[in-house]
Coordinates of all heavy atoms in Angstrom, one line a residue:
M30 N 119.5 105.3 86.3 CA 118.6 104.3 85.9 C 117.4 105.0 85.2 O 117.0 106.1 85.7 CB 118.2 103.5 87.1 CG 117.0 102.6 86.8 SD 116.6 101.6 88.2 CE 117.7 100.2 87.8
L31 N 116.9 104.4 84.2 CA 115.7 105.0 83.5 C 114.7 103.9 83.2 O 115.1 102.9 82.6 CB 116.2 105.6 82.2 CG 115.2 106.0 81.1 CD1 114.3 107.1 81.7 CD2 115.9 106.4 79.9
L32 N 113.5 104.2 83.6 CA 112.4 103.3 83.3 C 111.3 104.1 82.6 O 110.9 105.1 83.1 CB 111.8 102.6 84.5 CG 112.8 101.9 85.4 CD1 112.1 101.5 86.7 CD2 113.2 100.6 84.7
C33 N 110.9 103.7 81.4 CA 109.9 104.4 80.7 C 108.7 103.5 80.3 O 108.9 102.3 80.0 CB 110.5 105.0 79.4 SG 111.8 106.1 79.7
G34 N 107.6 104.1 80.2 CA 106.4 103.3 79.7 C 105.1 103.9 80.1 O 105.1 104.8 81.0
A35 N 104.1 103.5 79.6 CA 102.8 103.9 80.0 C 102.3 103.2 81.2 O 102.6 102.0 81.4 CB 101.8 103.7 78.8
G36 N 101.7 103.9 82.1 CA 101.2 103.2 83.3 C 99.7 102.9 83.2 O 99.0 103.3 82.3
S37 N 99.2 102.2 84.2 CA 97.8 101.9 84.2 C 97.1 103.0 85.0 O 97.7 104.1 85.1 CB 97.6 100.5 84.9 OG 98.1 100.6 86.3
A38 N 96.0 102.7 85.5 CA 95.2 103.8 86.2 C 95.7 103.9 87.6 O 95.0 104.4 88.5 CB 93.7 103.4 86.1
A39 N 96.9 103.5 87.9 CA 97.5 103.5 89.3 C 97.7 105.0 89.7 O 97.7 105.9 88.9 CB 98.8 102.8 89.3
A40 N 97.9 105.1 91.0 CA 98.1 106.5 91.5 C 99.4 107.1 90.9 O 100.3 106.4 90.5 CB 98.3 106.3 93.0
Q41 N 99.4 108.4 90.9 CA 100.5 109.1 90.3 C 101.5 109.5 91.5 O 101.1 109.9 92.6 CB 100.1 110.4 89.7 CG 99.2 110.2 88.5 CD 98.8 111.5 87.8 OE1 99.0 112.5 88.3 NE2 98.2 111.3 86.6
V42 N 102.8 109.3 91.2 CA 103.8 109.7 92.2 C 104.8 110.6 91.4 O 105.2 110.3 90.3 CB 104.6 108.5 92.7 CG1 105.8 108.9 93.5 CG2 103.7 107.5 93.4
L43 N 105.1 111.7 92.0 CA 106.1 112.7 91.4 C 107.0 113.3 92.4 O 106.5 113.9 93.4 CB 105.3 113.7 90.6 CG 106.2 114.8 89.9 CD1 107.1 114.2 88.9 CD2 105.3 115.8 89.2
S44 N 108.3 113.2 92.2 CA 109.3 113.8 93.1 C 110.4 114.4 92.2 O 110.9 113.7 91.3 CB 109.8 112.7 94.0 OG 110.9 113.3 94.8
L45 N 110.8 115.6 92.5 CA 111.8 116.3 91.7 C 112.7 117.1 92.5 O 112.2 117.9 93.4 CB 111.1 117.2 90.6 CG 112.0 118.0 89.7 CD1 112.8 117.2 88.8 CD2 111.1 119.0 88.9
E46 N 114.0 117.0 92.4 CA 115.0 117.8 93.1 C 116.1 118.2 92.2 O 116.5 117.5 91.3 CB 115.6 116.9 94.2 CG 114.7 116.4 95.2 CD 115.4 115.4 96.2 OE1 116.6 115.5 96.3 OE2 114.7 114.6 96.8
F47 N 116.6 119.4 92.5 CA 117.7 120.0 91.7 C 118.9 120.2 92.7 O 118.6 120.7 93.8 CB 117.4 121.4 91.1 CG 116.3 121.3 90.1 CD1 115.0 121.5 90.5 CD2 116.5 121.0 88.8 CE1 113.9 121.5 89.6 CE2 115.5 120.9 87.9 CZ 114.2 121.2 88.2
H48 N 120.1 119.9 92.3 CA 121.3 120.1 93.2 C 122.5 120.3 92.3 O 122.9 119.3 91.6 CB 121.4 119.0 94.2 CG 122.5 119.2 95.1 ND1 122.5 120.2 96.1 CD2 123.7 118.6 95.3 CE1 123.6 120.2 96.8 NE2 124.4 119.2 96.3
D49 N 123.1 121.4 92.3 CA 124.3 121.7 91.5 C 124.3 121.2 90.1 O 125.2 120.6 89.6 CB 125.5 121.0 92.2 CG 125.8 121.6 93.6 OD1 125.6 122.9 93.7 OD2 126.4 120.9 94.5
G50 N 123.2 121.6 89.4 CA 123.1 121.2 88.0 C 122.7 119.8 87.7 O 122.6 119.3 86.5
R51 N 122.4 119.0 88.8 CA 122.0 117.6 88.6 C 120.5 117.5 89.0 O 120.0 118.3 89.8 CB 122.8 116.7 89.5 CG 124.3 116.9 89.4 CD 124.9 116.6 88.0 NE 124.9 115.2 87.8 CZ 125.4 114.7 86.6 NH1 125.8 115.4 85.6 NH2 125.4 113.4 86.5
V52 N 119.9 116.5 88.5 CA 118.5 116.2 88.8 C 118.2 114.8 89.3 O 118.9 113.9 88.9 CB 117.7 116.4 87.4 CG1 116.2 116.0 87.6 CG2 117.8 117.8 86.9
R53 N 117.3 114.8 90.3 CA 116.7 113.5 90.7 C 115.2 113.6 90.4 O 114.5 114.5 91.0 CB 117.0 113.3 92.2 CG 116.3 112.0 92.7 CD 116.5 111.9 94.2 NE 117.9 111.6 94.6 CZ 118.4 110.4 94.7 NH1 117.6 109.3 94.6 NH2 119.6 110.2 95.0
L54 N 114.7 112.7 89.6 CA 113.3 112.7 89.2 C 112.7 111.3 89.4 O 113.3 110.4 88.8 CB 113.2 113.2 87.8 CG 111.8 113.0 87.1 CD1 110.7 113.9 87.8 CD2 111.9 113.4 85.6
T55 N 111.6 111.2 90.1 CA 110.9 110.0 90.2 C 109.5 110.3 89.7 O 108.8 111.2 90.3 CB 110.9 109.4 91.6 OG1 112.2 109.2 92.0 CG2 110.1 108.1 91.7
A56 N 109.0 109.6 88.7 CA 107.6 109.8 88.2 C 107.0 108.5 87.9 O 107.6 107.7 87.2 CB 107.6 110.7 87.0
E57 N 105.8 108.3 88.5 CA 105.1 107.0 88.2 C 103.7 107.4 87.7 O 102.9 108.0 88.4 CB 104.9 106.2 89.5 CG 106.3 105.6 90.0 CD 106.1 104.9 91.3 OE1 105.0 104.3 91.5 OE2 107.1 104.8 92.1
N58 N 103.5 107.0 86.4 CA 102.2 107.2 85.8 C 101.8 108.7 85.8 O 100.6 109.1 86.1 CB 101.1 106.4 86.5 CG 99.9 106.2 85.7 OD1 99.9 106.1 84.5 ND2 98.7 106.2 86.4
V59 N 102.7 109.6 85.4 CA 102.5 111.0 85.4 C 102.6 111.6 84.0 O 103.6 111.3 83.3 CB 103.6 111.7 86.3 CG1 103.4 113.2 86.3 CG2 103.6 111.1 87.7
P60 N 101.6 112.4 83.6 CA 101.7 113.0 82.3 C 103.0 114.0 82.3 O 103.3 114.6 83.3 CB 100.5 113.9 82.2 CG 99.5 113.3 83.2 CD 100.4 112.7 84.3
V61 N 103.6 114.1 81.1 CA 104.8 114.9 80.9 C 104.4 116.4 81.3 O 105.2 117.1 81.9 CB 105.3 114.8 79.5 CG1 106.4 115.8 79.3 CG2 105.9 113.4 79.3
S62 N 103.2 116.8 81.0 CA 102.8 118.2 81.3 C 102.9 118.4 82.8 O 103.3 119.5 83.2 CB 101.4 118.5 80.7 OG 100.5 117.6 81.3
R63 N 102.6 117.4 83.6 CA 102.6 117.6 85.0 C 104.1 117.6 85.5 O 104.4 118.4 86.4 CB 101.8 116.5 85.7 CG 101.9 116.7 87.2 CD 100.8 115.8 87.9 NE 101.1 115.9 89.4 CZ 101.2 114.9 90.2 NH1 101.1 113.7 89.7 NH2 101.5 115.1 91.5
I64 N 104.9 116.8 84.9 CA 106.4 116.8 85.2 C 106.9 118.2 85.0 O 107.7 118.8 85.8 CB 107.1 115.8 84.5 CG1 106.7 114.4 84.9 CG2 108.6 115.9 84.7 CD1 107.2 113.2 84.0
L65 N 106.6 118.8 83.8 CA 107.0 120.1 83.4 C 106.5 121.2 84.4 O 107.2 122.2 84.7 CB 106.7 120.4 82.0 CG 107.5 119.5 81.0 CD1 106.9 119.7 79.6 CD2 109.0 119.8 81.0
A66 N 105.2 121.1 84.8 CA 104.7 122.0 85.7 C 105.4 122.0 87.1 O 105.7 123.0 87.7 CB 103.2 121.7 85.9
E67 N 105.8 120.8 87.5 CA 106.6 120.7 88.7 C 108.0 121.2 88.5 O 108.5 121.9 89.4 CB 106.6 119.2 89.1 CG 107.2 119.0 90.5 CD 106.2 119.4 91.6 OE1 105.2 120.0 91.4 OE2 106.6 119.1 92.8
W68 N 108.6 121.0 87.3 CA 109.9 121.6 87.0 C 109.8 123.1 87.1 O 110.7 123.8 87.7 CB 110.3 121.2 85.6 CG 111.7 121.5 85.2 CD1 112.3 122.7 85.2 CD2 112.7 120.5 84.9 NE1 113.6 122.5 84.8 CE2 113.9 121.2 84.6 CE3 112.7 119.1 84.8 CZ2 115.1 120.6 84.2 CZ3 113.9 118.5 84.4 CH2 115.0 119.2 84.1
A69 N 108.8 123.7 86.6 CA 108.6 125.1 86.7 C 108.4 125.6 88.1 O 109.0 126.6 88.5 CB 107.4 125.6 85.8
R70 N 107.6 124.9 88.9 CA 107.3 125.3 90.3 C 108.5 125.2 91.2 O 108.9 126.1 91.8 CB 106.2 124.4 90.8 CG 105.7 124.8 92.2 CD 104.6 123.9 92.7 NE 105.1 122.6 93.2 CZ 105.7 122.4 94.3 NH1 105.9 123.4 95.2 NH2 106.1 121.2 94.7
I71 N 109.2 124.0 91.1 CA 110.3 123.8 92.0 C 111.6 124.4 91.5 O 112.3 125.0 92.3 CB 110.5 122.2 92.2 CG1 109.3 121.6 92.8 CG2 111.8 121.9 92.9 CD1 109.5 120.5 93.8
G72 N 111.7 124.4 90.2 CA 113.0 124.9 89.6 C 113.0 126.4 89.3 O 114.0 126.9 89.0
G73 N 111.8 127.0 89.5 CA 111.7 128.4 89.2 C 112.0 128.8 87.7 O 112.5 129.8 87.4
T74 N 111.6 127.9 86.9 CA 111.8 128.0 85.4 C 110.5 128.4 84.7 O 109.5 127.8 85.0 CB 112.3 126.6 84.9 OG1 113.5 126.2 85.6 CG2 112.6 126.7 83.4
Q75 N 110.6 129.3 83.8 CA 109.5 129.6 82.9 C 109.4 128.6 81.8 O 110.4 128.5 81.1 CB 109.6 131.0 82.3 CG 108.4 131.3 81.4 CD 108.6 132.7 80.7 OE1 109.6 133.3 80.8 NE2 107.6 133.1 80.0
I76 N 108.4 127.8 81.7 CA 108.2 126.8 80.7 C 107.1 127.2 79.7 O 106.0 127.4 80.2 CB 108.0 125.4 81.3 CG1 109.3 125.0 82.1 CG2 107.8 124.4 80.2 CD1 109.2 123.7 82.8
V77 N 107.4 127.3 78.5 CA 106.4 127.7 77.4 C 106.0 126.5 76.7 O 106.9 125.7 76.2 CB 107.0 128.8 76.5 CG1 106.0 129.2 75.4 CG2 107.4 130.0 77.3
N78 N 104.7 126.2 76.5 CA 104.1 125.1 75.8 C 104.3 123.7 76.5 O 104.1 122.7 75.9 CB 104.7 125.0 74.4 CG 104.3 126.1 73.5 OD1 103.2 126.7 73.7 ND2 105.1 126.5 72.5
G79 N 104.6 123.7 77.8 CA 104.7 122.5 78.6 C 103.4 121.7 78.6 O 103.4 120.5 78.6
E80 N 102.3 122.4 78.6 CA 101.0 121.7 78.6 C 100.7 121.0 77.2 O 99.7 120.2 77.2 CB 99.9 122.7 79.0 CG 99.5 123.7 77.9 CD 100.5 124.8 77.8 OE1 101.5 124.9 78.5 OE2 100.3 125.6 76.8
R81 N 101.4 121.3 76.2 CA 101.1 120.8 74.9 C 102.0 119.6 74.5 O 101.9 119.1 73.4 CB 101.4 121.9 73.8 CG 100.5 123.1 74.1 CD 100.7 124.2 73.2 NE 100.0 123.9 72.0 CZ 100.2 124.6 70.8 NH1 101.0 125.6 70.8 NH2 99.5 124.3 69.8
V82 N 102.8 119.1 75.4 CA 103.6 117.9 75.1 C 102.8 116.6 75.0 O 102.1 116.3 76.0 CB 104.8 117.7 76.1 CG1 105.6 116.5 75.8 CG2 105.7 118.9 76.1
P83 N 102.8 115.9 73.9 CA 101.9 114.7 73.7 C 102.5 113.5 74.4 O 103.6 113.5 74.9 CB 101.9 114.5 72.2 CG 103.3 115.0 71.8 CD 103.6 116.2 72.7
G84 N 101.7 112.5 74.5 CA 102.1 111.2 75.0 C 101.4 110.7 76.2 O 100.7 111.5 76.9
P85 N 101.5 109.4 76.4 CA 100.8 108.8 77.6 C 101.6 109.2 78.9 O 102.7 109.7 78.8 CB 101.0 107.3 77.3 CG 102.2 107.2 76.5 CD 102.3 108.4 75.7
P86 N 101.0 108.9 80.0 CA 101.7 109.1 81.3 C 103.0 108.3 81.3 O 103.1 107.3 80.7 CB 100.7 108.6 82.3 CG 99.4 108.7 81.7 CD 99.6 108.4 80.2
A87 N 104.0 108.9 81.9 CA 105.4 108.3 81.9 C 105.7 107.8 83.3 O 105.2 108.3 84.3 CB 106.4 109.4 81.5
T88 N 106.6 106.8 83.3 CA 107.2 106.3 84.5 C 108.7 106.4 84.3 O 109.2 105.8 83.4 CB 106.8 104.8 84.8 OG1 105.4 104.8 85.0 CG2 107.5 104.2 86.0
L89 N 109.3 107.2 85.1 CA 110.8 107.5 85.0 C 111.4 107.5 86.4 O 110.8 107.9 87.4 CB 111.0 108.9 84.4 CG 110.3 109.3 83.1 CD1 110.4 110.8 82.9 CD2 111.1 108.6 82.0
E90 N 112.7 107.1 86.3 CA 113.5 107.3 87.5 C 114.9 107.8 87.0 O 115.6 107.0 86.4 CB 113.7 106.0 88.3 CG 114.6 106.2 89.5 CD 114.1 105.7 90.8 OE1 113.2 104.9 90.8 OE2 114.7 106.0 91.8
L91 N 115.2 109.0 87.3 CA 116.5 109.6 86.9 C 117.2 110.0 88.2 O 116.6 110.7 89.0 CB 116.3 110.8 86.0 CG 115.4 110.6 84.8 CD1 115.2 112.0 84.1 CD2 116.2 109.7 83.8
V92 N 118.4 109.5 88.4 CA 119.1 109.8 89.6 C 120.5 110.4 89.2 O 121.3 109.8 88.5 CB 119.4 108.5 90.4 CG1 120.2 108.8 91.7 CG2 118.0 107.9 90.8
D93 N 120.7 111.6 89.7 CA 122.0 112.3 89.5 C 122.4 112.4 88.1 O 123.5 112.2 87.7 CB 123.1 111.6 90.3 CG 124.3 112.5 90.5 OD1 124.2 113.7 90.6 OD2 125.4 112.0 90.5
V94 N 121.4 112.9 87.2 CA 121.7 113.2 85.8 C 121.8 114.7 85.6 O 121.2 115.4 86.4 CB 120.7 112.5 84.9 CG1 120.7 111.0 85.0 CG2 119.3 113.0 85.0
S95 N 122.4 115.1 84.6 CA 122.5 116.5 84.3 C 121.1 117.0 83.9 O 120.3 116.2 83.4 CB 123.5 116.8 83.2 OG 123.0 116.4 81.9
E96 N 120.8 118.3 84.1 CA 119.5 118.8 83.7 C 119.3 118.6 82.2 O 118.2 118.3 81.7 CB 119.4 120.3 84.0 CG 119.2 120.5 85.5 CD 118.8 122.0 85.8 OE1 117.8 122.4 85.3 OE2 119.6 122.7 86.4
Q97 N 120.3 118.8 81.4 CA 120.2 118.6 79.9 C 119.7 117.2 79.6 O 118.8 117.0 78.8 CB 121.5 118.9 79.2 CG 121.5 118.8 77.7 CD 120.6 119.8 77.0 OE1 120.5 120.9 77.5 NE2 120.0 119.4 75.9
E98 N 120.4 116.2 80.2 CA 120.0 114.8 80.0 C 118.5 114.6 80.5 O 117.8 113.9 79.8 CB 120.9 113.8 80.8 CG 122.3 113.7 80.3 CD 123.1 112.9 81.2 OE1 123.6 113.4 82.2 OE2 123.2 111.7 80.9
A99 N 118.2 115.1 81.6 CA 116.8 115.0 82.1 C 115.8 115.5 81.2 O 114.8 114.9 80.9 CB 116.7 115.6 83.5
L100 N 116.1 116.7 80.7 CA 115.2 117.4 79.7 C 115.0 116.5 78.5 O 113.9 116.4 77.9 CB 115.6 118.8 79.4 CG 115.3 119.9 80.4 CD1 116.0 121.2 79.9 CD2 113.8 120.1 80.5
E101 N 116.1 116.0 78.0 CA 116.1 115.2 76.8 C 115.2 114.0 77.0 O 114.4 113.6 76.1 CB 117.5 114.8 76.3 CG 118.3 116.0 75.8 CD 119.7 115.7 75.5 OE1 120.2 114.5 75.7 OE2 120.4 116.6 75.1
V102 N 115.3 113.3 78.2 CA 114.4 112.2 78.4 C 113.0 112.6 78.6 O 112.1 112.0 78.0 CB 114.9 111.5 79.7 CG1 113.9 110.4 80.2 CG2 116.3 110.8 79.5
V103 N 112.7 113.6 79.4 CA 111.3 114.0 79.6 C 110.7 114.5 78.4 O 109.5 114.3 78.1 CB 111.3 115.1 80.7 CG1 109.9 115.8 80.8 CG2 111.7 114.6 82.1
L104 N 111.4 115.2 77.5 CA 110.9 115.8 76.3 C 111.1 115.0 75.0 O 111.0 115.5 73.9 CB 111.4 117.2 76.1 CG 111.0 118.2 77.2 CD1 111.7 119.6 77.1 CD2 109.5 118.4 77.2
R105 N 111.3 113.7 75.2 CA 111.6 112.9 74.0 C 110.4 112.8 73.0 O 110.6 112.6 71.8 CB 112.0 111.5 74.4 CG 110.9 110.7 75.0 CD 111.5 109.3 75.5 NE 110.4 108.7 76.3 CZ 110.2 108.9 77.6 NH1 110.8 109.8 78.2 NH2 109.2 108.3 78.2
S106 N 109.2 113.1 73.5 CA 108.0 113.0 72.6 C 107.7 114.4 72.0 O 106.8 114.5 71.2 CB 106.8 112.5 73.4 OG 106.4 113.5 74.4
A107 N 108.5 115.4 72.4 CA 108.3 116.8 71.8 C 109.1 116.9 70.5 O 110.0 116.2 70.3 CB 108.7 117.8 72.8
S108 N 108.7 117.9 69.7 CA 109.4 118.1 68.4 C 110.8 118.7 68.7 O 111.7 118.5 67.9 CB 108.6 119.2 67.6 OG 107.4 118.7 67.3
G109 N 111.0 119.3 69.8 CA 112.3 119.9 70.2 C 112.1 120.9 71.3 O 110.9 121.2 71.6
F110 N 113.2 121.5 71.8 CA 113.1 122.5 72.8 C 114.3 123.4 72.8 O 115.4 123.0 72.3 CB 112.8 121.9 74.2 CG 114.0 121.1 74.7 CD1 115.0 121.7 75.5 CD2 114.2 119.8 74.4 CE1 116.0 121.0 76.0 CE2 115.2 119.1 74.9 CZ 116.2 119.7 75.7
L111 N 114.1 124.6 73.3 CA 115.2 125.5 73.5 C 115.3 125.9 74.9 O 114.2 126.0 75.6 CB 115.0 126.8 72.6 CG 114.9 126.6 71.1 CD1 114.4 127.9 70.5 CD2 116.2 126.2 70.5
S112 N 116.5 126.0 75.5 CA 116.6 126.3 76.9 C 117.6 127.5 77.0 O 118.5 127.6 76.3 CB 117.0 125.1 77.7 OG 118.3 124.6 77.2
A113 N 117.3 128.4 78.0 CA 118.1 129.5 78.3 C 118.6 129.4 79.8 O 117.8 129.2 80.7 CB 117.3 130.8 78.2
P114 N 119.9 129.4 79.9 CA 120.5 129.2 81.3 C 120.2 130.4 82.2 O 120.0 131.5 81.7 CB 122.0 129.1 81.1 CG 122.2 129.7 79.8 CD 121.0 129.6 78.9
R115 N 120.1 130.1 83.5 CA 119.9 131.2 84.5 C 121.2 132.0 84.6 O 122.3 131.4 84.7 CB 119.5 130.5 85.8 CG 119.1 131.4 86.9 CD 118.7 130.6 88.1 NE 117.6 129.6 87.9 CZ 116.3 129.9 87.7 NH1 115.9 131.1 87.8 NH2 115.4 129.0 87.5
E116 N 121.1 133.3 84.7 CA 122.3 134.1 84.8 C 123.0 134.0 86.2 O 124.2 133.9 86.3 CB 122.0 135.6 84.5 CG 121.7 135.9 83.1 CD 121.5 137.3 82.8 OE1 122.0 138.2 83.6 OE2 120.8 137.6 81.8
T117 N 122.2 133.9 87.2 CA 122.7 133.8 88.5 C 122.1 132.5 89.1 O 120.9 132.3 89.3 CB 122.2 135.0 89.4 OG1 122.6 136.2 88.8 CG2 122.8 134.9 90.8
P118 N 123.0 131.5 89.5 CA 122.5 130.2 90.0 C 121.7 130.5 91.3 O 122.1 131.4 92.1 CB 123.8 129.5 90.3 CG 124.8 130.1 89.5 CD 124.4 131.5 89.3
L119 N 120.7 129.7 91.6 CA 119.9 129.7 92.8 C 120.0 128.3 93.4 O 119.8 127.3 92.7 CB 118.5 130.0 92.5 CG 118.2 131.4 91.9 CD1 116.7 131.5 91.6 CD2 118.5 132.5 92.9
A120 N 120.3 128.2 94.7 CA 120.3 127.0 95.4 C 119.0 126.2 95.3 O 117.9 126.8 95.6 CB 120.7 127.2 96.9
G121 N 119.0 125.0 95.0 CA 117.8 124.2 94.9 C 116.9 124.4 93.7 O 115.8 123.9 93.6
A122 N 117.4 125.3 92.8 CA 116.6 125.6 91.6 C 117.2 125.0 90.3 O 118.4 124.6 90.3 CB 116.4 127.1 91.5
S123 N 116.5 125.1 89.3 CA 117.0 124.7 88.0 C 118.0 125.6 87.5 O 118.0 126.8 87.8 CB 115.8 124.6 87.0 OG 116.3 124.5 85.7
G124 N 119.0 125.1 86.7 CA 120.0 126.0 86.1 C 119.4 126.7 84.9 O 120.1 127.6 84.3
Y125 N 118.2 126.5 84.5 CA 117.5 127.1 83.4 C 116.5 128.2 83.8 O 115.7 127.9 84.6 CB 116.8 126.1 82.5 CG 117.8 125.1 81.8 CD1 117.8 123.8 82.2 CD2 118.7 125.5 80.8 CE1 118.6 122.9 81.6 CE2 119.5 124.6 80.3 CZ 119.5 123.3 80.7 OH 120.4 122.4 80.1
A126 N 116.6 129.3 83.2 CA 115.7 130.4 83.5 C 114.4 130.1 82.7 O 113.3 130.4 83.2 CB 116.2 131.8 83.1
S127 N 114.5 129.6 81.5 CA 113.3 129.3 80.7 C 113.6 128.2 79.7 O 114.7 127.9 79.3 CB 112.9 130.6 79.9 OG 114.0 131.0 79.0
I128 N 112.5 127.5 79.4 CA 112.5 126.4 78.4 C 111.3 126.6 77.5 O 110.2 126.8 77.9 CB 112.4 125.0 79.1 CG1 113.5 124.8 80.1 CG2 112.3 123.9 78.1 CD1 113.3 123.6 81.1
L129 N 111.6 126.6 76.2 CA 110.6 126.8 75.2 C 110.5 125.4 74.4 O 111.4 125.0 73.8 CB 110.9 127.9 74.1 CG 110.1 127.9 72.9 CD1 108.6 128.3 73.2 CD2 110.7 128.9 71.9
I130 N 109.3 124.9 74.5 CA 109.0 123.6 73.8 C 108.4 123.9 72.5 O 107.4 124.6 72.4 CB 108.1 122.7 74.7 CG1 108.8 122.4 76.0 CG2 107.8 121.4 74.0 CD1 108.0 122.0 77.1
L131 N 109.0 123.4 71.4 CA 108.5 123.6 70.1 C 107.3 122.8 69.8 O 107.1 121.7 70.2 CB 109.6 123.3 69.1 CG 111.0 124.0 69.3 CD1 112.0 123.4 68.3 CD2 110.8 125.4 69.2
P132 N 106.3 123.5 69.1 CA 105.0 122.8 68.8 C 105.2 121.7 67.8 O 106.1 121.6 67.1 CB 104.1 123.9 68.3 CG 105.0 125.1 68.0 CD 106.3 124.8 68.7

């Protein structure tokens, strides 16, 4: 399920989990840059230019989607991105070692 749109001045909610290449993401009224910062923190991923992604705060609910699909949804307002897979999988982490967001 996917819900997108700009939120009001309501409180921000953000939850992100990785499991076997799948993602569960719940974000309410959260800037994309904050979602990416959480992806980097929880997923152990180096993200370049995450703070530069434009757009209003997002409201999303992604349940059991691939990381690729999740990135495409989260980064739909970006010009594009490149991702490098992690050589050795880590439990509870992202399958990507790094993500470069194009300016």
Side-chain angles (χ1 to χ4, degrees):
M30 171 177 270
L31 165 66
L32 302 170
C33 298
S37 63
Q41 296 179 351
V42 174
L43 179 57
S44 172
L45 177 64
E46 298 174 24
F47 298 96
H48 184 68
D49 293 331
R51 310 296 286 179
V52 174
R53 175 184 290 267
L54 169 64
T55 301
E57 294 178 28
N58 196 36
V59 179
V61 172
S62 60
R63 183 164 170 233
I64 294 170
L65 294 170
E67 190 72 353
W68 191 298
R70 186 181 76 79
I71 297 217
T74 304
Q75 178 185 9
I76 298 180
V77 179
N78 292 330
E80 72 285 353
R81 301 178 81 192
V82 177
T88 296
L89 305 167
E90 176 133 14
L91 304 174
V92 178
D93 195 34
V94 301
S95 71
E96 284 192 65
Q97 182 67 31
E98 289 176 276
L100 281 175
E101 289 172 2
V102 170
V103 170
L104 294 174
R105 70 186 171 277
S106 65
S108 297
F110 67 94
L111 301 171
S112 56
R115 189 177 303 281
E116 288 185 26
T117 305
L119 298 174
S123 170
Y125 295 111
S127 61
I128 299 168
L129 170 64
I130 300 162
L131 304 175

